[in-house]
Amino acid sequence: MAAMMFRRSRNVWSRWNKPSTAVSTRSMASKTPVGFIGLGNMGSPMAKNLVKNGYPVIATDLFPESCKELQDLGAHVVDSPADVAEKADRIITMLPSSPNVIEAYTGPNGILKKVKKGSLLIDSSTIDPAVSKEMAVAAEKMGAVFMDAPVSGGVGAANMGKLTFMVGGLQEEYNAAQELLSCMGANVVYCGQVGTGQAVKLCNNMMLAIGMIGTAETMNLGIRLGLDPKLLAKILNMSSGRCWSSDTYNPVPGVMEGVPSANNYQGGFGTTLMAKDLGLAQNTATNTKTPIPLGSLAHQIYRVMCSRGYANKDFSSVFQFLREEEEQ
């Protein structure tokens, strides 16, 4: 296998002259090790799905305890991103924020310290598109390929391998990325150059936040008017107000099973992360002089929630936040 990896890396490096060769060589090396960095709520199930699809996984996380379940499934755990890069030439990162990504790629123990020429680096974190472009430039200087591939669908979709990936980067490398991402998602969509995947994700999450706040407000108003929340949700979901936050991820406890609102808003997509994503959307809107009045208001609501004890709860806890506000 080591010889196979060497041949693959050497041939992939020749992509600078022969792009088509790189793609075909990557495809031939489909079961060589895949690195995975970041085993949080999303990263852990994503990495598990790679293992279930027969890929040897080399993994690391800042918190060693996060690696245990994956290690029990047969993954090889190492100490740092640099160690991952030394052992694998296809690496996926799933990290909380732009600073985490910068550290994982360019830090003292980062991927680019030991990256192999021709390596494919896929970042599924949700970060500033400008940072994705910076990482792509840094990777190219080391002879590697960087692509941004943020996800949508939440922890439930990650567990079921039904995420949506929004991919930005070299089009000739898309097939190689798609091979891996298809093991973790039901939809893998090429968006354009590096950074476009992040652009789509920020637009999606701004819409998601606005929709969740609207759903929470609507459900709260209906309850105050004496409506049964299950009945109200049922009618909304067969009417024009239907949305993902109402029919798949309802924020009201007792309306749906298997969602964070049924578990005291534990798990899922944290309020802190939503506030972070909305901050990124706000920054990009400011830079492009794009008016986003509802997006800006959503950002402020989630920032206030973070300061009121909701930081570690799922973002659907905005329903609980509104209920508490009315009691003050």
Side-chain angles (χ1 to χ4, degrees):
M1 180 173 287
M4 182 180 182
M5 289 177 65
F6 175 76
R7 287 197 301 272
R8 177 188 168 280
S9 295
R10 183 184 61 198
N11 289 339
V12 169
W13 178 235
S14 69
R15 72 177 178 79
W16 302 108
N17 297 316
K18 300 177 181 179
S20 61
T21 302
V23 175
S24 63
T25 309
R26 289 195 198 283
S27 180
M28 289 164 56
S30 60
K31 298 302 180 182
T32 56
V34 177
F36 206 104
I37 300 167
L39 300 172
N41 287 341
M42 294 294 291
S44 180
M46 289 167 65
K48 288 176 184 176
N49 281 325
L50 285 172
V51 173
K52 290 174 184 175
N53 278 275
Y55 290 92
V57 170
I58 314 292
T60 193
D61 191 273
L62 275 176
F63 302 98
E65 62 271 19
S66 299
C67 302
K68 189 178 185 309
E69 285 187 20
L70 193 64
Q71 192 170 28
D72 290 343
L73 290 176
H76 179 49
V77 175
V78 295
D79 294 331
S80 71
D83 293 336
V84 172
E86 189 174 32
K87 297 177 182 298
D89 55 8
R90 293 181 295 174
I91 300 171
I92 298 168
T93 49
M94 186 55 157
L95 301 163
S97 66
S98 296
N100 296 122
V101 170
I102 293 170
E103 178 70 16
Y105 279 88
T106 65
N109 294 305
I111 293 168
L112 298 184
K113 290 296 181 183
K114 294 185 178 179
V115 72
K116 302 172 186 177
K117 286 182 171 62
S119 290
L120 177 62
L121 312 176
I122 303 172
D123 181 40
S124 288
S125 318
T126 299
I127 61 173
D128 190 324
V131 173
S132 292
K133 294 174 183 177
E134 290 173 14
M135 294 303 99
V137 171
E140 185 177 13
K141 289 179 180 177
M142 302 303 294
V145 176
F146 177 95
M147 305 185 82
D148 59 306
V151 304
S152 180
V155 174
N159 283 316
M160 295 184 289
K162 293 186 177 180
L163 291 167
T164 292
F165 287 88
M166 296 149 271
V167 184
L170 293 173
Q171 189 164 13
E172 59 263 34
E173 296 290 351
Y174 171 66
N175 288 341
Q178 185 181 35
E179 176 199 327
L180 295 178
L181 301 181
S182 294
C183 297
M184 303 175 285
N187 303 293
V188 182
V189 183
Y190 181 69
C191 301
Q193 63 185 357
V194 170
T196 55
Q198 297 294 350
V200 173
K201 177 62 188 292
L202 293 182
C203 290
N204 177 78
N205 275 23
M206 183 175 73
M207 186 174 183
L208 174 62
I210 294 168
M212 180 58 76
I213 294 169
T215 300
E217 288 184 349
T218 297
M219 294 298 295
N220 189 37
L221 176 61
I223 292 168
R224 290 290 295 270
L225 290 171
L227 296 172
D228 175 76
K230 284 189 175 181
L231 174 65
L232 176 57
K234 179 180 178 181
I235 295 171
L236 291 173
N237 292 335
M238 61 176 67
S239 304
S240 56
R242 178 183 181 179
C243 66
W244 187 85
S245 294
S246 68
D247 71 1
T248 303
Y249 211 80
N250 199 284
V252 180
V255 170
M256 295 182 68
E257 295 297 324
V259 294
S261 62
N263 187 35
N264 195 30
Y265 300 103
Q266 298 304 305
F269 185 59
T271 295
T272 298
L273 292 176
M274 179 56 86
K276 181 264 295 183
D277 290 356
L278 289 169
L280 293 173
Q282 181 70 72
N283 290 341
T284 56
T286 299
N287 292 338
T288 56
K289 299 181 179 179
T290 305
I292 53 165
L294 292 181
S296 296
L297 183 56
H299 182 211
Q300 295 307 313
I301 289 172
Y302 278 104
R303 286 184 63 190
V304 171
M305 286 176 65
C306 288
S307 68
R308 299 275 185 88
Y310 291 87
N312 296 321
K313 292 192 174 187
D314 180 74
F315 81 107
S316 63
S317 62
V318 65
F319 172 79
Q320 188 180 55
F321 171 73
L322 291 173
R323 296 280 284 183
E324 290 184 0
E325 286 294 295
E326 75 187 29
E327 295 170 2
Q328 294 182 3

